[in-house]
Amino acid sequence: MHVLIGVSAGIAAYKIPLLIRLLIKQGHSVKVILTPDAVDFVSPLVLSTLSKQPVAIEFWNRKTGEWHNHVSYAEWADVLLVAPCTANTLAKMAQGLCDNFLLATFLSMRKRTIVAPAMDLEMYQHPSVKRNLMTLEKDGVMVIPPDHGELASGMVGEGRLPEPEILAERLNLHLGCAHKLIGCKALVTAGPTYESIDAVRFVGNRSSGKMGFAIAEALASQGAEVILLAGPTHLNSSHPSIRTISIESAQDLLTAVQQYWPNSDIGIFAAAVADYRPSEPSSQKIKKNQAQLSLELTRTEDTLAWAGKGKQAHQFLVGFALETSNGESYAREKLVKKNLDAVVLNVLGEKGVGFNSDTNKIRIFGCDGQDCDYPLESKVEIAKRIVDYIIQNK
Ligand code: CTP
């Protein structure tokens, strides 16, 4: 789609470069118009570099003599998104004023216009702003409402421009694009587990949780409602469709999966779950009064295998495999043994692959015997590939 972004002079304009990157990654073409004062808030050079298009500010540039035609901008656009839309631009749009290039383009738009107002709490609640918004809505303009949160003034309330990911998602929702998992419930496991040795010590592993969190985001940006069961990690997710539930041990994870898996449509189990736990954790801190200390370990229950055993016809279950040798044969064996629909094999031995890395290299083995090999990419991109694979195969 051709997305024309109109940026007016609000502090939240700093979010627009990231929005442009996201939209281009999603396959949209983007052009940008700035109001003359918006150049104080975001650099035209940055916007032009990211959109790979000249940025229009005025009808004509006195220095270069370059001329922009508002009618051809409006004809090019499938949608005009005014974000951030200040109280001033909002009022002018509602009144049909036309004293800058953005407003002239708005009046020339034949397809839809969406405004994302962003301003301080008191301004957003002012009756004139509410009235202008209602006028625009009556005129067929759609509104992406501001989020509640901390504002540039330090006040807390409604008025914040949503984060770029959320803006992109709401824009796509208005455009009827993407969102292939609307109505779908997904369960994701992420991060390590900690198994208590005593009151202060545990057995754990080096998993960062990055892969599982990226998968949860990728599912949510396709419209899924996600429950993310996260082992101890410093990560968090602010996506409104992701509910994060913290777990600590393999037993906590099993209990949570037993609660949520029966009502899920998709399961992606990316957690690095302990296969063994100390048989008798001490409730007191163990003192160092012995020369040697042996720790007896007991097998934990395999949560993924439990989910596979009870899998229903509508459910699609994906497990991960991390192998140091014979990756393909172990991955295929896990697929059958745990009754999975696909196994994601982390391909070890390459630079940039591993627990704490931001990149990963995977192969996906499907239950149809086929497999897909992917290049080394960021975990965010890999997560999208896994979600696309599920959309195509479920
Ligand atoms: N898994 C799980 N619960 C466990 C152990 C593993 O849910 N107690 C899941 C992981 O989240 C991952 C998959 O099982 O999706 C693969 O785990 P892995 O430890 O690689 O394989 P195992 O089947 O445990 O086999 P092995 O350790 O012998 O390689």
Side-chain angles (χ1 to χ4, degrees):
M1 290 257 180
H2 288 179
V3 180
L4 182 58
I5 304 181
V7 182
S8 60
I11 185 71
Y14 78 89
K15 296 182 178 175
I16 302 306
L18 282 172
L19 174 67
I20 295 171
R21 278 188 56 188
L22 276 173
L23 294 175
I24 287 179
K25 267 195 184 168
Q26 291 171 357
H28 299 291
S29 300
V30 179
K31 284 189 183 181
V32 182
I33 301 175
L34 293 178
T35 61
D37 287 340
V39 297
D40 293 332
F41 292 86
V42 63
S43 150
L45 177 65
V46 171
L47 300 171
S48 171
T49 308
L50 292 174
S51 63
K52 300 182 184 70
Q53 299 279 351
V55 168
I57 303 167
E58 283 160 339
F59 290 92
W60 72 289
N61 184 320
R62 278 167 216 273
K63 276 191 206 145
T64 61
E66 196 187 5
W67 160 255
H68 292 295
N69 182 341
H70 57 282
V71 177
S72 60
Y73 267 79
E75 272 174 358
W76 175 87
D78 292 309
V79 61
L80 167 64
L81 169 68
V82 184
C85 186
T86 58
N88 187 41
T89 293
L90 193 71
K92 288 182 180 179
M93 288 172 77
Q95 293 303 311
L97 295 183
C98 186
D99 65 355
N100 65 36
F101 188 76
L102 173 59
L103 295 167
T105 309
F106 164 61
L107 292 178
S108 309
M109 278 299 292
R110 290 196 212 133
K111 297 195 187 145
R112 71 200 104 186
T113 296
I114 302 173
V115 291
M119 60 199 76
D120 216 35
L121 174 64
E122 310 294 348
M123 293 170 82
Y124 186 64
Q125 283 174 350
H126 197 280
S128 64
V129 171
K130 297 275 176 224
R131 199 164 52 238
N132 289 333
L133 269 174
M134 264 162 51
T135 303
L136 283 175
E137 280 186 292
K138 269 194 214 138
D139 290 345
V141 171
M142 285 169 271
V143 178
I144 295 178
D147 276 352
H148 187 280
E150 194 178 331
L151 302 164
S153 63
M155 285 203 272
V156 175
E158 235 178 346
R160 237 173 105 96
L161 187 71
E163 294 307 309
E165 292 78 9
I166 311 287
L167 264 184
E169 195 183 316
R170 294 190 186 148
L171 176 71
N172 282 323
L173 206 58
H174 279 294
L175 296 175
C177 297
H179 291 91
K180 301 192 180 85
L181 295 176
I182 285 176
C184 204
K185 289 195 166 89
L187 182 66
V188 178
T189 75
T193 63
Y194 286 180
E195 310 300 325
S196 288
I197 296 172
D198 65 15
V200 293
R201 303 179 181 96
F202 60 84
V203 179
N205 62 66
R206 295 182 208 280
S207 168
S208 64
K210 285 179 188 167
M211 196 66 246
F213 273 70
I215 290 169
E217 295 279 337
L219 286 162
S221 64
Q222 288 287 359
E225 286 294 321
V226 184
I227 291 184
L228 173 60
L229 304 177
T233 124
H234 65 279
L235 302 175
N236 51 47
S237 166
S238 61
H239 197 294
S241 301
I242 301 176
R243 182 175 156 212
T244 308
I245 297 171
S246 299
I247 56 98
E248 190 171 288
S249 65
Q251 181 56 46
D252 295 344
L253 183 75
L254 178 67
T255 307
V257 166
Q258 285 173 335
Q259 181 177 351
Y260 294 108
W261 173 238
N263 290 323
S264 303
D265 305 298
I266 295 172
I268 308 183
F269 286 30
V273 191
D275 290 322
Y276 291 91
R277 62 173 172 79
S279 306
E280 283 176 23
S282 162
S283 58
Q284 303 297 315
K285 186 180 168 206
I286 300 170
K287 301 299 287 177
K288 54 175 181 305
N289 47 16
Q290 301 170 51
Q292 285 186 333
L293 179 71
S294 302
L295 205 58
E296 192 191 82
L297 300 173
T298 303
R299 274 283 295 271
T300 58
E301 184 163 346
D302 188 325
T303 301
L304 179 60
W306 180 88
K309 215 184 278 170
K311 185 159 62 93
Q312 303 159 56
H314 70 94
Q315 293 180 309
F316 195 96
L317 185 58
V318 181
F320 271 71
L322 183 92
E323 307 292 348
T324 45
S325 59
N326 302 326
E328 174 163 358
S329 61
Y330 281 130
R332 290 193 190 280
E333 198 183 295
K334 272 175 201 170
L335 191 68
V336 177
K337 212 167 79 188
K338 301 194 189 188
N339 191 28
L340 308 179
D341 297 288
V343 166
V344 179
L345 174 68
N346 288 291
V347 181
L348 287 180
E350 277 209 31
K351 207 170 165 245
V353 179
F355 271 158
N356 244 317
S357 161
D358 284 327
T359 51
N360 202 3
K361 174 147 175 55
I362 59 157
R363 268 175 90 181
I364 302 184
F365 296 89
C367 59
D368 56 0
Q370 303 290 314
D371 74 283
C372 305
D373 206 353
Y374 297 94
L376 180 77
E377 284 177 309
S378 71
K379 286 185 174 169
V380 170
E381 288 303 316
I382 296 276
K384 285 187 203 156
R385 298 222 186 236
I386 295 168
V387 171
D388 283 346
Y389 178 93
I390 295 171
I391 289 169
Q392 278 159 28
N393 290 280
K394 88 180 173 67

